[in-house]
Amino acid sequence: MPKVGGPWVDIVMEGKYGLGYSRLEDIPALITQAVHSPLSIRKEIFESRERFSFSKFKESINKEVDAVI
């Protein structure tokens, strides 16, 4: 993920759930890093996608609506 804007902050949480790059030349080293990362870290990153599931979205919307009502 490019280290700019919302995706870098919201989706990968500034590196917690993914790798970021500033220059295209950085990407091959990041791929190597990802391939050699411990399985537990890769699993945690994969499971973090649940933060963007429809059920989480619906839950958030319901909380906001309940707060207004």
Side-chain angles (χ1 to χ4, degrees), residues 54-67:
F54 179 75
S55 61
K56 287 287 185 184
F57 174 76
K58 185 177 175 181
E59 181 182 320
S60 295
I61 291 295
N62 286 336
K63 283 182 184 177
E64 293 298 324
V65 169
D66 289 343

Side-chain angles (χ1 to χ4, degrees), residues 23 29 34 43 61:
R23 303 171 311 133
K43 182 179 178 189
I61 291 295

Side-chain angles (χ1 to χ4, degrees), residues 2-69:
K3 290 183 177 180
V4 294
W8 173 245
V9 175
D10 297 336
I11 296 171
V12 299
M13 296 180 72
E14 296 183 354
K16 181 175 181 180
Y17 293 113
L19 301 171
Y21 64 91
S22 299
R23 303 171 311 133
L24 292 177
E25 296 80 13
D26 298 337
I27 294 174
L30 291 173
I31 292 170
T32 300
Q33 180 182 341
V35 168
H36 292 94
S37 293
L39 184 57
S40 60
I41 292 172
R42 290 168 41 197
K43 182 179 178 189
E44 180 182 355
I45 290 170
F46 177 78
E47 290 173 349
S48 75
R49 77 194 192 292
E50 182 63 28
R51 296 178 294 138
F52 299 98
S53 69
F54 179 75
S55 61
K56 287 287 185 184
F57 174 76
K58 185 177 175 181
E59 181 182 320
S60 295
I61 291 295
N62 286 336
K63 283 182 184 177
E64 293 298 324
V65 169
D66 289 343
V68 172
I69 295 178

